[in-house]
Amino acid sequence: MSAVRYVIVGVVVVVVVVAAALTLLPTLHRVPVQYVGSPSGYEAFVPDGQTISYNGHTDPTGTLILSNGNTIQNVVWDGKYAGTIIQNHNAIVQLNSQFVGQTDPVNNQPYVPLQDFYVIKGQVPIEQVAINGQTYYVILADKINPANIAGFYTYQAWVPNFIAAINTPGTTPAVLPGNSPVFTWTNATGTAAYQTMVYGRYGPFGGGDVLVLSNGNIIPYGTTGNIAGASLDNYLFTQQSYNPSS
């Protein structure tokens, strides 16, 4: 009987050990959520036009620009607004296909490619995962307050400049009057300014806004009305007019 008891106890011990191991395995392989960026700064997700299947749905991929200028590649936006970002980006790509290569009728310069991006006020929750053997950094958008997310677009080359500007004290948003002389400037600033007005006639987009830097330079930009968090209202609904002669 003692031998029988020993076998039974041994089986129980093995079962308990295996059960404990199964309980611990997910914890050992789970990468904790990290919060990147500055609690008081602005970060930005820049879609690259690619998508990936994650958690059973389609998400946009791109780059995350942090408030200090550093970037994280292979980023996936998962959760809230994922589908809207894909639609917005496709619309911008379509408008670029339609207009880039044509001439701005106001300053007679060629139109430039514009790029949409999505600003997040505060830190961004990300999780490192492996998808098909590739490492990605997933933005957990459902953990972000919607009031802290807003969509913008500007000249493709100026997206990092825009993020640097809104993280720099002294930068103020303004709106261009319809007869602004900025539209006649024969450089990329004049072109992009007018081009955001053109794109603003389509889809959910608005245009004709500028960031005014402390050195007097400006960065023209437009907005996406379907992702417009209230904490970024000062950049979305600008009241002050920009006059380059002032």
Side-chain angles (χ1 to χ4, degrees), residues 165-219:
I166 62 173
N167 281 291
T168 301
T171 299
T172 58
V175 63
L176 296 173
N179 61 349
S180 174
V182 172
F183 299 131
T184 66
W185 292 358
T186 55
N187 55 23
T189 301
T191 302
Y194 182 75
Q195 196 170 343
T196 63
M197 298 287 287
V198 174
Y199 284 25
R201 302 168 189 163
Y202 300 87
F205 306 121
D209 298 312
V210 294
L211 291 181
V212 184
L213 282 61
S214 58
N215 62 6
N217 292 338
I218 63 171
I219 301 175

Side-chain angles (χ1 to χ4, degrees), residues 6-223:
Y6 181 81
V7 171
I8 293 174
V9 171
V11 171
V12 171
V13 170
V14 170
V15 170
V16 170
V17 170
V18 171
L22 291 174
T23 302
L24 290 173
L25 275 176
T27 303
L28 293 173
H29 289 80
R30 183 181 298 124
V31 178
V33 174
Q34 304 175 56
Y35 284 80
V36 298
S38 168
S40 59
Y42 297 92
E43 334 299 328
F45 173 72
V46 187
D48 59 12
Q50 304 299 312
T51 60
I52 195 167
S53 178
Y54 180 70
N55 277 345
H57 47 268
T58 302
D59 288 336
T61 64
T63 299
L64 181 63
I65 303 177
L66 302 180
S67 54
N68 62 5
N70 291 339
T71 60
I72 301 175
Q73 307 296 326
N74 298 326
V75 173
V76 177
W77 182 291
D78 182 62
K80 190 183 293 98
Y81 297 134
T84 305
I85 289 173
I86 293 172
Q87 293 171 8
N88 287 351
H89 183 73
N90 288 342
I92 290 290
V93 169
Q94 179 61 40
L95 289 169
N96 283 340
S97 298
Q98 180 178 346
F99 288 101
V100 175
Q102 297 186 31
T103 300
D104 180 335
V106 178
N107 69 359
N108 296 313
Q109 300 299 306
Y111 282 125
V112 297
L114 303 187
Q115 169 73 51
D116 58 311
F117 55 99
Y118 301 86
V119 172
I120 302 161
K121 184 177 182 180
Q123 292 184 302
V124 181
I126 63 171
E127 189 172 34
Q128 181 179 328
V129 302
I131 305 174
N132 299 326
Q134 171 72 49
T135 298
Y136 289 92
Y137 300 91
V138 179
I139 294 175
L140 305 175
D142 288 339
K143 293 182 177 291
I144 304 172
N145 185 339
N148 293 334
I149 306 172
F152 301 88
Y153 65 101
T154 188
Y155 176 31
Q156 191 175 67
W158 292 343
V159 174
N161 304 36
F162 184 102
I163 301 308
I166 62 173
N167 281 291
T168 301
T171 299
T172 58
V175 63
L176 296 173
N179 61 349
S180 174
V182 172
F183 299 131
T184 66
W185 292 358
T186 55
N187 55 23
T189 301
T191 302
Y194 182 75
Q195 196 170 343
T196 63
M197 298 287 287
V198 174
Y199 284 25
R201 302 168 189 163
Y202 300 87
F205 306 121
D209 298 312
V210 294
L211 291 181
V212 184
L213 282 61
S214 58
N215 62 6
N217 292 338
I218 63 171
I219 301 175
Y221 71 92
T223 60

